[in-house]
Amino acid sequence: MLIEKLNWRYATKKMHPSKTVSDEKVDRILEAARLAPTSSGLQPFEIFVVTNPDVRARIREVAWDQSPITDGSHLLVFAAWDNYTSERINASFDLVNDERGFTNEGWENYRQMLLSTYVPREAQVNFEHAARQAYIALGMTLTAAAFEAVDSTPMEGFEPEKVDEILGLREKGLRSVTILPLGYRAEEGDWLKDLKKVRRAKEDFITEIK
């Protein structure tokens, strides 16, 4: 079932502007992203769900004029932390302690290790690490969308600084990493729609070490 869905999905180039993804499906897709694994469970990113037509039009202007941004019904913007701070790390660890209802010596030692390792590092190094965590969630989101029979188009083709400005991300300590329109493929106008999915052969892609 899962492999069938993954074969069905593709980076949709033309979405149907009058078809809207239901709130229920979007909620399940976002929940898959929220449940994605991240390094040390820090979840160092946020997702912005943009449905406002004017905002999406402005983003399209700084994203190579890619039509799914405005023709899809939702635009997801993955924005990573611009840095790891003691406040952010402590908030994550405190949340775990609150939710589980107890503290653990090993867990607290791990907190101190992260504080002493992450906080002194250069902000750019920390941002790049956080961005990689956002991409794990992106993969989960793409898979969840396919499972819901919702089309999606992962994009790096945009000007992050300008998207940050449009959404006011820098003021929130965030930087845009990737964007993902959700919608439904158009019947016509998509050159990629009916082409065979092509991937490297298994023997050229996977190496077994026994």
Side-chain angles (χ1 to χ4, degrees):
M1 181 68 169
L2 175 61
I3 299 303
E4 179 183 333
K5 293 291 188 179
L6 293 178
N7 273 304
W8 169 85
R9 74 151 303 277
Y10 73 104
T12 308
K13 304 303 181 186
K14 179 65 177 175
M15 290 188 177
H16 201 300
S18 65
K19 292 185 177 181
T20 301
V21 182
S22 70
D23 291 341
E24 292 78 13
K25 289 195 173 195
V26 172
D27 286 346
R28 288 193 292 267
I29 291 168
L30 291 171
E31 182 65 359
R34 193 180 72 88
L35 293 172
T38 58
S39 179
S40 302
L42 293 176
Q43 292 182 290
F45 60 92
E46 296 180 22
I47 300 174
F48 290 76
V49 183
V50 186
T51 54
N52 183 291
D54 294 333
V55 176
R56 287 192 289 151
R58 291 176 63 196
I59 292 176
R60 178 173 171 172
E61 290 177 358
V62 298
W64 302 358
D65 194 35
Q66 297 180 82
S67 65
I69 294 171
T70 52
D71 288 348
S73 67
H74 297 72
L75 176 66
L76 309 187
V77 178
F78 291 74
W81 289 355
D82 59 1
N83 199 0
Y84 286 113
T85 65
S86 57
E87 292 79 11
R88 281 171 161 168
I89 291 172
N90 281 324
S92 295
F93 276 76
D94 290 345
L95 175 63
V96 170
N97 290 340
D98 290 344
E99 289 291 317
R100 292 178 176 169
F102 65 90
T103 60
N104 176 278
E105 182 180 358
W107 182 241
E108 292 305 316
N109 290 338
Y110 189 67
R111 178 205 299 252
Q112 296 305 318
M113 187 272 289
L114 289 189
L115 289 170
S116 64
T117 304
Y118 283 19
V119 176
R121 288 194 310 205
E122 292 184 10
Q124 182 63 23
V125 172
N126 283 338
F127 164 69
E128 290 173 359
H129 183 271
R132 289 193 291 272
Q133 310 315 304
Y135 274 100
I136 296 172
L138 173 67
M140 297 283 281
T141 306
L142 291 167
T143 303
F147 205 81
E148 296 286 344
V150 171
D151 288 299
S152 60
T153 310
M155 298 179 177
E156 282 188 321
F158 64 96
E159 299 178 61
E161 298 84 1
K162 293 184 178 178
V163 170
D164 294 351
E165 181 180 350
I166 292 168
L167 298 179
L169 297 181
R170 295 300 176 103
E171 295 88 338
K172 298 178 175 70
L174 300 167
R175 295 168 59 181
S176 56
V177 173
T178 184
I179 60 178
L180 182 71
L182 298 176
Y184 293 104
R185 62 191 68 176
E187 296 298 322
E188 298 179 354
D190 189 339
W191 62 271
L192 191 56
K193 176 175 174 286
D194 296 317
L195 295 182
K196 179 182 179 181
K197 183 184 288 289
V198 179
R199 297 291 188 270
R200 286 156 53 192
K202 179 180 177 180
E203 58 269 23
D204 296 327
F205 184 71
I206 297 171
T207 298
E208 294 189 22
I209 301 175
K210 300 181 178 179

